[in-house]
Amino acid sequence: MTVRVAVLGCGVVGTEVVRLLTTSAADLEARAGAPLELVGVAVRSLDTPRDPVVDRALLTTDAEALVDRADVVVELMGGLEPARSLLLRAIENGAAVVTANKALLGADGPTLYAAADEAGVDLYFEAAVAGAIPLVRPVRESLAGDAVTRVLGIVNGTTNYVLDQMASTGADLDLAVKQAQELGYAEADPTADVEGYDAAAKAAILASLAFHTRVSVDQVHREGIGAITAEDVAWAAETGHVVKLLAVAERVAATAEHPEGVVVRVHPALVPLDHPLAGVRQAFNAVFVQAEAAGELMFYGRGAGGRPTASAVLGDLVTVARHRVRGGRGPIESRYADLPVLGMGAAPTRYQVRMRVADRPGVLASVAAVFAARDVSIEAVRQADGDGTADLLVVTHTAPEAALAATVEDLTGLDVVDSVLSVLRVEGA
Ligand code: NAP
């Protein structure tokens, strides 16, 4: 028996998948239990220069015909279409599918999961979240006997690199993004990373797996790092924190305002320097998982790049090939919990609010009264005096986002507050 493999896409990741399939063929055969035969590689253009490891005779622009000749289809084209139609076609044909396409899974995963379930084929996507880091399989399989309570992750290497540069060199956002582009960490159009779209797609996938509940990308509260200033980053250091773009997915208990549910969000946050995520530098990714029985787990590694991502793709490929050879299937979509996906207002978080206030007696009491009126308790206050004004830094205890946001709204209307300079959430404390 031979497992016929079609690779759709021969770009950054596809090329490295082809390389590993070619150079590690004997090992992969031994591990899968049958030879993995690369039957073709679909591309947009046959004229594009390619790495010599790619046999030009395998290239085709007819992706549909290629899909029809494969036992396993590996989709590395990206984008919604034609990736979705080609994967659905493969599934209908009875082929197993492997994809790294977080945009497609975040936007329309359920269509693919349902089709794979109906056809009785495998759908694997380890590379779609945090590149090389084994994360999908641990959450979906290793933790299947536990109850995940919270997932806190740095899942976008570009923004982590940018924020790390800002922290280590004092650069402002624009300069740090430019440096990331020069080093190939950021795209010419960095919007998907900087505005948090990429992280939101990954957060939706992770939340779905962790909480056995369908979460789509449009249910993820998303704020990018576009508004983070060099001053925010400097203040973070001053107060023992570092700014990170976090993807947070958590189960929240029922309250008078909402039922038990799941909140999924992506936003910049202050992370205390002694938290394991604070030490994640450069373009690395890391995901911190809290589960009832397992406690705290940390997954760390390279979240992108051709070779690291190809490692995750090949892991999936060997797994689905084993199933073809020996029978059986991997896990299907698990959504039995079907928890409501709650709005951002239900998220439990803490705020660090920096504001410019009048420098006169009684100001602190007025400010504190605003927090108290919203039932938000204050953990710490710091004041730096200026000329007739003072900068006040207030750190709260954990409270629902709705109460914290309403407090900031009230502060802006207070006559002793000149302006609210910045509001950042604090996570991981
Ligand atoms: P890429 O370098 O842009 O490569 C895309 C490939 O797909 C190219 O070979 C392109 O053909 C081909 N392609 C695009 N549209 C096509 C179409 N309509 N028909 C046939 N072929 C088509 O992309 P990548 O960086 O390798 O990313 C691939 C996937 O992996 C994406 O879903 C991405 O999100 C995911 N991913 C990437 C990374 C990473 O580090 N790059 C990490 C994790 C996940 P041509 O070569 O002819 O243009």
Side-chain angles (χ1 to χ4, degrees), residues 9-13 43-45 50 76-78 82 100-102 127 304-305 309:
C10 192
V12 174
V13 183
V43 291
R44 211 166 9 203
S45 160
R50 310 269 166 204
L76 301 167
M77 297 190 312
N101 194 333
K102 56 230 157 192
T309 307

Side-chain angles (χ1 to χ4, degrees), residues 76-416:
L76 301 167
M77 297 190 312
L80 301 188
E81 283 296 345
R84 174 179 21 214
S85 303
L86 289 166
L87 284 175
L88 290 172
R89 185 182 182 106
I91 290 167
E92 273 166 32
N93 288 347
V97 295
V98 173
T99 179
N101 194 333
K102 56 230 157 192
L104 176 56
L105 289 169
D108 201 15
T111 303
L112 294 173
Y113 300 141
D117 194 19
E118 197 177 321
V121 300
D122 277 333
L123 165 60
Y124 272 66
F125 48 90
E126 184 62 71
V129 185
I133 307 173
L135 187 62
V136 171
R137 202 170 276 114
V139 174
R140 176 152 99 146
E141 300 185 39
S142 314
L143 289 169
D146 206 336
V148 175
T149 50
R150 198 161 194 249
V151 180
L152 199 62
I154 296 169
V155 293
N156 182 271
T158 305
T159 44
N160 201 56
Y161 178 83
V162 166
L163 292 170
D164 190 43
Q165 275 297 104
M166 290 173 76
S168 54
T169 68
D172 68 10
L173 185 87
D174 289 345
L175 179 60
V177 168
K178 215 165 142 264
Q179 287 166 341
Q181 284 167 326
E182 280 162 11
L183 287 168
Y185 288 134
E187 310 264 333
D189 175 3
T191 313
D193 293 321
V194 170
E195 294 307 326
Y197 290 100
D198 173 79
K202 293 167 179 169
I205 298 169
L206 270 180
S208 305
L209 297 173
F211 302 115
H212 306 274
T213 290
R214 279 187 174 170
V215 180
S216 73
V217 68
D218 50 24
Q219 292 172 304
V220 179
H221 173 89
R222 179 191 51 76
E223 294 168 38
I225 62 167
I228 298 295
T229 63
E231 205 186 356
D232 290 331
V233 173
W235 263 97
E238 179 86 19
T239 59
H241 296 88
V242 60
V243 181
K244 297 287 185 192
L245 181 70
L246 293 185
V248 188
E250 63 208 318
R251 212 170 62 202
V252 297
T255 67
E257 278 79 38
H258 58 76
E260 184 192 11
V262 172
V263 184
V264 192
R265 48 195 168 109
V266 167
H267 55 72
L270 296 167
V271 175
L273 286 172
D274 59 2
H275 191 279
L277 287 177
V280 179
R281 305 282 312 270
Q282 306 243 333
F284 278 86
N285 281 196
V287 178
F288 192 73
V289 178
Q290 292 166 270
E292 280 177 12
E296 294 175 345
L297 303 163
M298 172 96 157
F299 301 86
Y300 172 86
R302 291 187 193 279
R307 263 171 79 75
T309 307
S311 162
V313 172
L314 263 293
D316 282 353
L317 181 50
V318 168
T319 303
V320 303
R322 280 179 185 145
H323 295 158
R324 299 296 282 191
V325 175
R326 304 208 179 90
R329 276 179 73 196
I332 58 169
E333 182 193 18
S334 173
R335 59 185 175 99
Y336 75 91
D338 201 19
L339 291 165
V341 183
L342 305 172
M344 184 62 181
T349 184
R350 299 167 62 210
Y351 271 16
Q352 187 185 90
V353 186
R354 199 155 49 82
M355 61 199 119
R356 186 144 298 162
V357 296
D359 193 8
R360 57 179 147 87
V363 169
L364 211 50
S366 313
V367 167
V370 169
F371 283 83
R374 294 282 180 185
D375 224 9
V376 174
S377 75
I378 291 176
E379 186 195 274
V381 178
R382 242 172 98 158
Q383 184 169 339
D385 293 334
D387 189 14
T389 61
D391 282 358
L392 202 60
L393 185 82
V394 178
V395 184
T396 74
H397 282 294
T398 301
E401 165 81 17
L404 291 163
T407 307
V408 172
E409 183 77 31
D410 293 349
L411 286 170
T412 55
L414 205 63
D415 62 351
V416 294

